[in-house]
Amino acid sequence: MNKILVTGASGQVGVELAQALRDKYGAGNVIATGYNSRPASEVAQNYPYCRLDVRDAPALNQIVEHYQCDTIFHLASLLSVVAETKPLEAWDINMNGLINVLETARTHNCAVFFPSSIGAFGPETPSFNTPQDTIQRPKSLYGITKVSGELLCDYYFHHYGVDTRGLRYPGLISNKALPGGGTTDYAVDIFYAAVKNRHYDCFLRADTQLDMMYMPDAVTAAITLMEVDSAKLKHRNAFNITAMSFTPEQLTAEIQKYLSDFTVSYRIDPVRQAIADSWPRHMDDSAARAEWGWEAKYDMATMVKDMLEQITVKLNKKLR
Ligand code: SER
């Protein structure tokens, strides 16, 4: 990787991944792009930044050509809850955005990172120790675009030799940019509510167990996968990875170790609950461990400690 393009660079993953790439590969070598002309975060100050709608293939080509990019981290997409409210737009952004990236990569000889998700699984998938290769019949539009994306990335590798690689992320917990409308967002929102109000109204049932990961591990995973010798990869795209697996009730108990007066009530959102109920509770990530040495640093306890510290500072509050 020498010149790296990041789509969706103002998003929850993009902000931190772009910063990590900049630290490692040099600020001038990471071209951040996003749908907004003026990103709210520090992205625009620290990096070359271009406004890009990923559905605009000529604009994407122009940026790749101008900066002579050799790698694309394609993060731009609509998340699960937003996708259910505007399915046609989600299909357009998630699928046409990806095919534009893959075509640009094919014609300009770029490697591509594509994040899939636990959303690529469905109710018929085994939910415990979800195998790397298993039944995938997602019921959400988001999940359908993720499975299709996994298959398209495989297709571009097998037919054109494009160096596509990817992961199935679990719910991602972070403290820089907020997630943009996903089913697992409760695991981020809960920290802001705990620090600000000592109370949170949770939209998932107390016993809804889902795979999760802290953002520093998610960023390391993406970079490590793109750096590894490609001869080691058997799966290439859509590696299961996980770091922890918990319910809202268990997360609440961990937060209460620091904020004993924190309370949670449950106001279930049927749409998000149905999506969550169809996703894995714990994925088997042994293929990622064996093929490229995946290992998470953060578990629930260390993630909660760090999240509370960071958000307390961010909101200028006190923990006790
Ligand atoms: N965090 C995503 C969502 O909830 C899953 O990939 O939509």
Side-chain angles (χ1 to χ4, degrees):
M1 290 195 276
N2 292 309
K3 284 270 181 186
I4 303 164
L5 181 85
V6 181
T7 74
S10 307
Q12 187 197 13
V13 180
V15 164
E16 295 190 50
L17 179 62
Q19 184 60 52
L21 289 167
R22 175 182 175 248
D23 292 345
K24 196 157 188 193
Y25 289 93
N29 295 322
V30 178
I31 321 310
T33 67
Y35 186 68
N36 297 319
S37 46
R38 280 192 205 162
S41 68
E42 69 270 27
V43 166
Q45 282 87 55
N46 293 344
Y47 303 94
Y49 183 88
C50 306
R51 186 191 177 276
L52 174 68
D53 181 334
V54 289
R55 293 170 290 185
D56 184 348
L60 174 62
N61 266 274
Q62 204 179 18
I63 295 170
V64 166
E65 263 168 39
H66 178 79
Y67 288 99
Q68 300 278 295
C69 298
D70 58 29
T71 306
I72 305 173
F73 285 80
H74 177 47
L75 307 177
S77 109
L78 295 193
L79 288 184
S80 57
V81 179
V82 183
E84 289 308 297
T85 64
K86 30 190 176 185
L88 292 184
E89 196 178 336
W91 179 264
D92 191 20
I93 293 171
N94 293 10
M95 295 317 303
N96 290 327
L98 176 61
I99 202 102
N100 288 342
V101 165
L102 289 169
E103 271 299 292
T104 304
R106 182 177 71 80
T107 51
H108 294 80
N109 202 21
C110 301
V112 174
F113 172 82
F114 171 70
S116 187
S117 156
I118 49 173
F121 297 114
E124 294 94 348
T125 308
S127 67
F128 272 107
N129 292 328
T130 306
Q132 174 65 44
D133 302 306
T134 185
I135 187 163
Q136 289 181 267
R137 305 286 295 172
K139 300 294 179 269
S140 71
L141 199 285
Y142 172 75
I144 293 167
T145 67
K146 286 300 182 189
V147 178
S148 309
E150 293 177 1
L151 295 172
L152 260 185
C153 288
D154 279 346
Y155 183 89
Y156 269 73
F157 172 67
H158 290 300
H159 286 260
Y160 303 121
V162 176
D163 185 0
T164 55
R165 307 184 189 193
L167 306 166
R168 290 185 186 126
Y169 279 130
L172 296 179
I173 300 160
S174 64
N175 52 60
K176 305 264 181 328
L178 290 170
T183 303
T184 55
D185 292 13
Y186 92 84
V188 177
D189 301 344
I190 195 170
F191 287 96
Y192 287 88
V195 171
K196 264 196 265 187
N197 311 319
R198 299 290 194 267
H199 182 77
Y200 179 60
D201 281 327
C202 187
F203 56 73
L204 293 184
R205 251 188 357 256
D207 64 349
T208 311
Q209 186 183 347
L210 288 167
D211 271 316
M212 297 279 177
M213 183 177 294
Y214 199 26
M215 190 58 79
D217 280 330
V219 165
T220 303
I223 297 175
T224 305
L225 176 61
M226 292 307 283
E227 286 176 339
V228 78
D229 176 1
S230 90
K232 291 189 175 166
L233 301 177
K234 283 189 220 124
H235 285 87
R236 304 198 66 92
N237 294 296
F239 280 99
N240 285 1
I241 53 166
T242 187
M244 59 191 93
S245 174
F246 56 71
T247 65
E249 205 165 32
Q250 289 164 335
L251 181 58
T252 301
E254 193 62 35
I255 294 172
Q256 283 167 337
K257 291 182 184 169
Y258 301 85
L259 300 169
S260 54
D261 55 346
F262 174 54
T263 55
V264 173
S265 49
Y266 292 90
R267 278 195 212 165
I268 311 309
D269 170 1
V271 173
R272 287 186 273 200
Q273 188 64 54
I275 294 175
D277 287 341
S278 74
W279 286 358
R281 299 185 205 179
H282 180 70
M283 285 186 282
D284 172 5
D285 60 5
S286 53
R289 290 171 186 275
E291 292 179 40
W292 51 277
W294 158 246
E295 197 180 351
K297 283 212 178 80
Y298 286 87
D299 59 13
M300 183 173 71
T302 50
M303 176 277 290
V304 166
K305 183 171 185 292
D306 197 59
M307 276 295 280
L308 286 173
E309 282 168 9
Q310 302 290 338
I311 287 172
T312 303
V313 171
K314 188 172 176 180
L315 298 178
N316 201 15
K317 297 269 186 195
K318 290 209 166 77
L319 249 192
R320 284 172 207 281

